[in-house]
Amino acid sequence: MGCVGWKLFWLLCLLSTFLQYGAVRVTVRESAVEVVRGDSATLTCSFFSLMPLFRLSIIWTLTPISHHESPIQVIVYAHGQVIESPSFIGRVGFVGMPWNADIILNETRISDAGVYRCVVNNPPETGDHGIGELSLTVLAPPSLPVCLWEWDTDAAGNVRLSCAVVDGFPTPQMIWEKLEPDQITLPVNTDGGMIGSVQIANVSAQTSGLYRCSVSNPLGTQHCYVNLSVYSPADNSPGILQGVMLSLTMALLLLALMVLALWLHRSAQESKWRNSNEDECYNEIKYTPSLIKRSFV
Ligand SMILES: *[C@@H]1O[C@H](CO)[C@@H](O)[C@H](O)[C@H]1NC(C)=O
Ligand SMILES: *[C@@H]1O[C@H](CO)[C@@H](O)[C@H](O)[C@H]1NC(C)=O
Ligand SMILES: *[C@@H]1O[C@H](CO)[C@@H](O)[C@H](O)[C@H]1NC(C)=O
């Protein structure tokens, strides 16, 4: 009997403590939520209060990843009314009222990512508000990258290929490859994470070919291409020039031989009538091809 009396006493003590200093207790069942952009996310927030819920108020705020300093309101429940914030209108709603403060967020956007807080207040319960905190991560596949190329101004004959991707979370990994004739992976300079470039030194016919930039994260992969065609006169013309000059020399040699044959024939005939100096004649013939050649080139 005495035992029951003590129990009752403690219970009353406990109750009076709650009524005096009691606060709404809030628990978050999932403290880290991941969602793929466009899908729905449920943000959980359970509360416990000893008081009737006549004056219950709930405020959900978001501190976006992009700007930490300013939390924004998401949805508010007060005086029996629900108010959605402009950037969430038609996309957010309470799902368990009045038993809990859970909300559903539809058509999630990248900008929805951040830290969410649910603040529950139930006057006349005194003390601190109950606050629950959770983080929302919005995943997105990489957007289609844009491939560009430009002459490097630092060094002549160098080309820089760059690849830029606007969207994607987690930040997409970037790979630059030369596909033809052999597949080669090139070292990428990534400045800022979303832009990656490769430098191609001493562009020539050998560096011509199809180059591909690939951006990927666990949700997907996207590509863009650059077709680099180099027609370098410095590379091709020596070969052509040599070929042209070789055939020219051959023609001249043949011409010289014909001239020589004709000359020999004529001088042989001439020598029949008058005895001229043979050495002088041969010297003249020897020099003829080089003279012609010089005038051609
Ligand atoms: C969110 O989507 C769910 C399922 O499609 C739907 O039942 C709910 O009404 C939507 N909520 C809002 C606030 O649009
Ligand atoms: C490019 O040419 C320069 C000078 O001709 C040479 O020093 C350099 O090693 C070359 N670079 C490559 C990557 O071939
Ligand atoms: C790249 O350009 C060259 C020359 O214009 C062309 O012959 C080749 O087919 C192109 N390759 C691709 C994959 O477009």
Side-chain angles (χ1 to χ4, degrees):
M1 193 64 189
C3 191
V4 173
W6 273 110
K7 274 186 183 165
L8 209 69
F9 173 75
W10 278 118
L11 201 70
L12 281 172
C13 261
L14 212 69
L15 206 67
S16 69
T17 313
F18 262 125
L19 292 177
Q20 265 186 300
Y21 307 106
V24 179
R25 279 179 295 152
V26 166
T27 49
V28 162
R29 299 196 294 282
E30 246 187 301
S31 62
V33 179
E34 269 191 3
V35 67
V36 174
R37 180 178 53 191
D39 289 355
S40 301
T42 301
L43 310 181
T44 64
C45 177
S46 306
F47 61 89
F48 173 79
S49 176
L50 285 169
M51 289 285 147
L53 304 173
F54 298 130
R55 293 169 65 190
L56 175 71
S57 75
I58 299 163
I59 302 171
W60 275 93
T61 63
L62 159 64
T63 308
I65 287 177
S66 39
H67 33 97
H68 304 274
E69 68 286 350
S70 51
I72 56 167
Q73 259 181 26
V74 177
I75 190 167
V76 175
Y77 174 84
H79 312 296
Q81 284 194 316
V82 173
I83 303 151
E84 301 157 32
S85 293
S87 56
F88 293 92
I89 275 182
R91 300 196 294 131
V92 69
F94 287 100
V95 286
M97 287 285 277
W99 316 114
N100 61 50
D102 295 2
I103 55 169
I104 188 165
L105 194 55
N106 288 346
E107 295 155 48
T108 49
R109 302 169 184 172
I110 294 281
S111 56
D112 294 342
V115 174
Y116 285 79
R117 280 189 192 91
C118 67
V119 181
V120 181
N121 207 1
N122 191 32
E125 219 160 338
T126 52
D128 295 334
H129 310 298
I131 298 179
E133 192 173 286
L134 63 98
S135 71
L136 177 70
T137 305
V138 181
L139 307 171
S143 58
L144 196 68
V146 176
C147 281
L148 296 168
W149 71 272
E150 58 182 347
W151 287 105
D152 209 327
T153 44
D154 299 343
N158 291 358
V159 164
R160 186 193 299 276
L161 306 180
S162 52
C163 180
V165 60
V166 174
D167 251 2
F169 193 86
T171 303
Q173 293 288 306
M174 196 173 283
I175 297 171
W176 266 105
E177 288 164 303
K178 188 178 193 289
L179 296 182
E180 294 161 353
D182 304 308
Q183 195 160 344
I184 307 164
T185 303
L186 305 158
V188 184
N189 298 318
T190 48
D191 30 275
M194 301 295 254
I195 297 176
S197 62
V198 291
Q199 190 144 347
I200 296 161
N202 304 344
V203 287
S204 67
Q206 280 81 46
T207 56
S208 288
L210 194 63
Y211 291 80
R212 180 177 71 183
C213 169
S214 309
V215 287
S216 55
N217 72 8
L219 275 83
T221 302
Q222 295 276 11
H223 306 287
C224 63
Y225 299 86
V226 170
N227 189 0
L228 190 68
S229 303
V230 180
Y231 301 106
S232 167
D235 255 27
N236 291 335
S237 49
I240 294 167
L241 219 65
Q242 273 166 24
V244 169
M245 277 176 68
L246 199 73
S247 49
L248 204 68
T249 316
M250 295 277 275
L252 287 173
L253 213 69
L254 277 170
L255 197 73
L257 281 169
M258 272 167 66
V259 170
L260 180 69
L262 271 172
W263 188 268
L264 282 172
H265 189 245
R266 219 171 68 189
S267 46
Q269 279 182 332
E270 272 176 12
S271 62
K272 280 177 185 171
W273 292 298
R274 58 187 172 107
N275 285 320
S276 59
N277 191 346
E278 280 183 6
D279 284 353
E280 214 179 86
C281 293
Y282 279 115
N283 276 347
E284 231 172 48
I285 298 155
K286 257 188 200 164
Y287 285 118
T288 313
S290 60
L291 280 172
I292 297 166
K293 187 176 160 184
R294 224 170 277 147
S295 70
F296 265 98
V297 172

